Amino acid sequence: MKITVVGAGNVGATCTAVLAQQDAADEVVLLDIKDGLAEGKALDIWQSAPIDRFDTKTYGVTNDYSQTANSNVVIITSGLPRKSGMSRDDLIETNAKIVKSVTDNIIQYSPYTIIIVVSNPLDVMTYQAYLTSKSPRTRVMGMAGILDTGRYRAFIADELNVSPKDVQSILLGGHGDMMVPLPRYTAVSGIPVSELLTKEKIDSIIERTRFGGGELVKLMGTSAWYAPGSAAARMAEAITKNQMRVLPCCVKLEGEYGLENVFVGVPVVLGKNGIERIIELKLTDSEKEQLYQSADSVKEMMDVVDKMKN
Ligand SMILES: NC(=O)c1ccc[n+]([C@@H]2O[C@H](COP(=O)([O-])OP(=O)(O)OC[C@H]3O[C@@H](n4cnc5c(N)ncnc54)[C@H](O)[C@@H]3O)[C@@H](O)[C@H]2O)c1
């Protein structure tokens, strides 16, 4: 098994380290355009192998896509992160060009690879990778829902003073402020969260989660990387180890949830073929309404990509 991570910045390097620690593949190639950056970070990670006790070989390359040949999974993290005062949508044109050129190169050397997009604005960059790769929708997906649910679950664990391991949840829709929370499907070791927290408390946690990325940009001047890097690594591991994990991922809908040709987050089963299946939940009218609004905002941004002559 071989995984390529494109972009050796904060998210890409973290993701590579987590993949290695999980022994998610035989080798992980880290690629960046900046001379020596990927080589240096991959070597640093490899030197932690005897300490952290893993075998996954990590190595870095500067823009040499021939070294990525025959990757089973490619994670795209290349692109600008948000700075203070920017929305994810401000990044659209710059990052779409980067994701397009990266995907072109990747597909040339790994035509059957499974692509996981991390670059923002996430749902639209996943669309860009899908357009450029011309791969089936089962092989192109985006990482957002695992991060958004991670934030939500961490805040619930804090509030209840319980282990975050015991908090389960799923959500739908676009990334961040466009997410559609599903408190009905949130539980603490099987106990519905509504039995443990008031509606007001749950609502305030949802609000904090919606803007959880912005909270970190404000604190650090750039966007997060530990949780995003781990989340993307979990998706890749589910594929390389054929784990059939149920995770919220951004995928192209073709009729599911009554939506056509739009990329939004929904629960899927992830295994060796990528998206093995999409799970359709029965939604209330209000949840449906929120999902459709979220899908409409993603569609508006997909139009921007369409106008960029793909
Ligand atoms: N989906 C999510 O939930 C989520 C979470 C966090 C960050 N992000 C996004 O992930 C992306 C990366 O964030 P980061 O914090 O790692 O940024 P970063 O600036 O630390 O790293 C980006 C790296 O991409 C490289 N790069 C740029 N153009 C390239 C190209 N054409 N080919 C190869 N490499 C190229 C840069 O040299 C840099 O090293 C951003 O778009 C950010 O908004 C998404």
Side-chain angles (χ1 to χ4, degrees):
M1 282 288 165
K2 176 171 177 178
I3 301 174
T4 290
V5 178
V6 182
N10 286 334
V11 177
T14 306
C15 181
T16 302
V18 176
L19 286 168
Q21 285 156 10
Q22 289 166 193
D23 266 326
D26 301 301
E27 51 179 334
V28 180
V29 181
L30 183 59
L31 179 147
D32 203 284
I33 40 168
K34 285 186 197 145
D35 245 341
L37 181 73
E39 286 86 337
K41 290 196 180 179
L43 181 60
D44 187 10
I45 294 167
W46 178 237
Q47 289 167 0
S48 74
I51 304 163
D52 286 330
R53 303 171 62 77
F54 60 80
D55 300 308
T56 297
K57 173 77 185 152
T58 58
Y59 60 96
V61 294
T62 303
N63 229 14
D64 178 1
Y65 281 87
S66 67
Q67 300 293 318
T68 70
N70 303 318
S71 292
N72 300 83
V73 179
V74 174
I75 303 173
I76 302 180
T77 76
S78 47
L80 301 188
R82 270 198 293 171
K83 300 289 173 208
S84 221
M86 282 172 95
S87 76
R88 291 185 179 89
D89 309 351
D90 292 335
L91 303 172
I92 190 163
E93 289 210 8
T94 316
N95 283 354
K97 282 184 194 143
I98 294 175
V99 169
K100 183 177 188 309
S101 85
V102 165
T103 308
D104 262 334
N105 285 315
I106 282 296
I107 286 295
Q108 193 187 333
Y109 289 97
S110 305
Y112 302 107
T113 195
I114 295 171
I115 298 177
I116 300 171
V117 179
V118 180
S119 314
N120 271 320
L122 188 273
D123 308 274
V124 200
M125 292 307 115
T126 310
Y127 174 49
Q128 177 69 73
Y130 170 79
L131 280 181
T132 309
S133 67
K134 300 186 175 65
S135 298
R137 68 167 176 161
T138 49
R139 295 211 297 260
V140 185
M141 65 198 81
M143 186 292 292
I146 303 174
L147 174 63
D148 291 330
T149 48
R151 289 178 174 150
Y152 178 56
R153 290 161 65 197
F155 296 149
I156 289 173
D158 278 347
E159 188 58 38
L160 291 170
N161 192 22
V162 298
S163 165
K165 287 184 209 150
D166 292 331
V167 183
Q168 301 88 30
S169 81
I170 195 85
L171 50 70
L172 304 171
H175 181 30
D177 33 344
M178 292 195 300
M179 73 178 205
V180 179
L182 295 175
R184 279 192 310 128
Y185 291 100
T186 306
V188 180
S189 279
I191 308 162
V193 73
S194 55
E195 292 193 14
L196 302 169
L197 290 173
T198 61
K199 182 176 179 317
E200 289 68 36
K201 196 34 93 194
I202 298 170
D203 285 347
S204 81
I205 290 175
I206 288 171
E207 207 47 23
R208 185 171 175 203
T209 306
R210 245 185 235 292
F211 299 100
E215 180 180 352
L216 292 169
V217 173
K218 222 169 161 185
L219 288 167
M220 305 190 294
T222 188
S223 59
W225 59 89
Y226 291 111
S230 289
R234 288 289 166 207
M235 287 171 69
E237 184 192 30
I239 296 165
T240 55
K241 296 186 182 167
N242 194 26
Q243 290 172 329
M244 305 299 272
R245 290 207 59 192
V246 177
L247 296 166
C249 299
C250 171
V251 290
K252 181 180 185 227
L253 296 186
E254 290 178 354
E256 297 87 359
Y257 291 92
L259 290 165
E260 281 283 354
N261 296 325
V262 63
F263 283 77
V264 285
V266 291
V268 303
V269 178
L270 272 192
K272 66 177 187 315
N273 301 305
I275 310 282
E276 303 281 348
R277 63 180 193 273
I278 292 174
I279 298 177
E280 274 195 83
L281 304 171
K282 284 201 185 82
L283 300 182
T284 64
D285 287 346
S286 141
E287 288 162 352
K288 260 187 223 158
E289 179 60 33
Q290 289 181 65
L291 178 62
Y292 293 162
Q293 271 178 18
S294 187
D296 280 347
S297 0
V298 175
K299 271 197 169 153
E300 273 172 32
M301 291 191 283
M302 286 167 63
D303 288 345
V304 177
V305 163
D306 285 336
K307 285 186 190 121
M308 286 174 59
K309 292 203 184 87
N310 274 282

